Amino acid sequence: MGRLFGTNGVRGVVNRDFTVEMAQGLAASAGSILGKEMAVGRDARISSPMVRDAVVSGLLSVGCDVHDMGALPTPTLQYMVKSLGLDGGVMVTASHNPPQFNGIKVMAADGVEISRATEDRIEELYFKGGPEAAPWNMVGHVRDVDVVETYIEAVVSQVDRKLVSSRGLKVALDTGNGVSCLVTPRVASRLGAGVYTVNAELDGSFPGRGSEPTPENLGALRDLIEATGADLGVGLDGDGDRSIIMDEKGEAVWGDKSLSLIADWYLGRHPGETVVTSISTSKGLEDVVNRRGGRVHWVRVGSVDVSRAMVENGYLLGGEENGGIMYGPHHPVRDGAMVMALLLQILAERRRPLSELIAEQPIYSKAKDKVECPNELKEEVLRKLPGLVEGLDVDTMDGVKLTNSDGSWVLIRPSGTEPVCRLYAEARDKATVMAIIDEYKDRLGRLIAGLQ
Ligand code: MG
């Protein structure tokens, strides 16, 4: 991970950690490395027009032409970079972070977030003082482009519009005052669904329920489902890439399970395919994929790693346990509107309530916890962890993941942003998973204390 680029782009509190000068400088460096034709978009944060102008200015100053796509979800910009054949794009957003944050996500010509190697190149150039500015008569041009309609049709074309329309399905949406309200309700109504919304006004202070959907803050969506009899509920994050699903009873469905459901449907049509996911995802996904004759390709935690593994290997489905799902036949990035369209397709085909389809997924219990760990000790902790256990299957792709013979597992990863080590565990039942968490929290705590 670089000095500025985190798990997904550069983010910080506006005018403190993330300034217009940084936005301009990083955009100039990105533009000079990625190419001449660049897309720019923004979310609905209060500071986003300011940051957008800085990004546009940085790109123009190095001779890039800017296709300004205005306010739109990140996956809309990503799809359009690829379909218009541009050289790259910059999205002004801090995703699900609180309103005082902003940042940028940078896309390559394939419409996927740039690789870690390209992030490093951009940072290096930025810290060396940036690229040379273009002569006065070579600065770029900017044009406004309206792309939302093209994108909506592209999403809708991935499912059977006639079939979905014929079912009279109802969808409840909580767009969290973010930019997905410009797209997701229109995709649902284009598919003939009845659409009901809450927190659907653009508001950069995110007054509704904050910009990150969690099972705890989706009470308004639950009420909306109950009041309207909706078949499906979707809560989206601030830039529309991540989503939490709710069934017709108002039960939140974690990302693992919506991914398993979509994987089961997809592999039913394309047997033997490979699904990409990060090592924190439930083993339930692997059970479903194996049952369909497919294979899981595990990668490090982070959506960029999932997307890049899909692109490099030509795999067409990927996802993360936090509710980001990548549907490659459309575009291999997380996309909340695409996930909603796929779920409508699945409901239309199977003709059964979502709660029943979810109940058929493998049942595992998951738990998460953390232990304080000074940043300077993290590497030493990682080196010593495998030595604490014997006879276990140890995976060191990202942190340390230990798998027991009964399939239960624990993953210990140092946080990239906080002085803590995180623990994730999964087992067949709640009692076992809590026992695993308690045991490893204790072992980890003693290991860290012994190093201080
Ligand atoms: Mg997001």
Side-chain angles (χ1 to χ4, degrees), residues 95-96 105 237-242 334:
S95 189
H96 58 272
K105 292 181 178 178
D237 84 332
D239 66 331
D241 52 6
R242 215 146 55 77
R334 301 179 297 180

Side-chain angles (χ1 to χ4, degrees), residues 72-112:
L72 80 183
T74 299
T76 307
L77 176 111
Q78 292 175 310
Y79 175 77
M80 294 310 302
V81 166
K82 181 185 70 170
S83 73
L84 293 174
L86 305 181
D87 297 313
V90 180
M91 179 71 189
V92 175
T93 182
S95 189
H96 58 272
N97 284 49
Q100 64 272 29
F101 283 76
N102 215 329
I104 53 168
K105 292 181 178 178
V106 183
M107 318 307 159
D110 57 11
V112 176

Side-chain angles (χ1 to χ4, degrees), residues 429-448:
D429 58 82
K430 190 92 198 156
T432 312
V433 79
M434 292 319 296
I436 293 174
I437 283 279
D438 287 346
E439 180 188 343
Y440 282 93
K441 205 178 162 184
D442 185 49
R443 285 190 191 206
L444 184 61
R446 276 188 283 131
L447 172 65
I448 294 169

Side-chain angles (χ1 to χ4, degrees), residues 284-407:
L285 175 69
E286 191 167 49
D287 295 353
V288 165
V289 170
N290 288 349
R291 204 160 62 202
R292 292 282 192 184
R295 193 179 75 85
V296 173
H297 178 90
W298 301 96
V299 296
R300 295 169 63 86
V301 175
S303 70
V304 181
D305 300 271
V306 178
S307 288
R308 283 279 151 222
M310 291 173 69
V311 172
E312 277 159 27
N313 300 292
Y315 301 142
L316 289 173
L317 185 64
E320 299 181 286
E321 47 99 28
N322 64 6
I325 295 175
M326 299 80 165
Y327 187 61
H330 170 63
H331 195 45
V333 300
R334 301 179 297 180
D335 188 331
M338 188 68 244
V339 170
M340 177 194 67
L342 291 173
L343 289 169
L344 288 173
Q345 171 76 25
I346 292 169
L347 288 173
E349 274 181 36
R350 307 245 166 121
R351 305 188 80 152
R352 291 169 58 208
L354 183 57
S355 61
E356 285 184 18
L357 300 176
I358 292 295
E360 288 172 0
Q361 303 302 313
I363 296 170
Y364 286 93
S365 272
K366 280 187 88 168
K368 295 184 197 184
D369 212 326
K370 60 186 172 184
V371 172
E372 281 183 29
C373 177
N375 288 334
E376 60 275 13
L377 291 181
K378 283 174 177 173
E379 271 187 34
E380 183 72 8
V381 168
L382 275 183
R383 257 197 305 278
K384 297 230 156 122
L385 265 176
L388 281 185
V389 291
E390 272 173 36
L392 293 180
D393 179 7
V394 177
D395 183 337
T396 54
M397 178 197 291
D398 187 4
V400 176
K401 185 176 181 179
L402 312 158
T403 305
N404 294 304
S405 54
D406 65 355

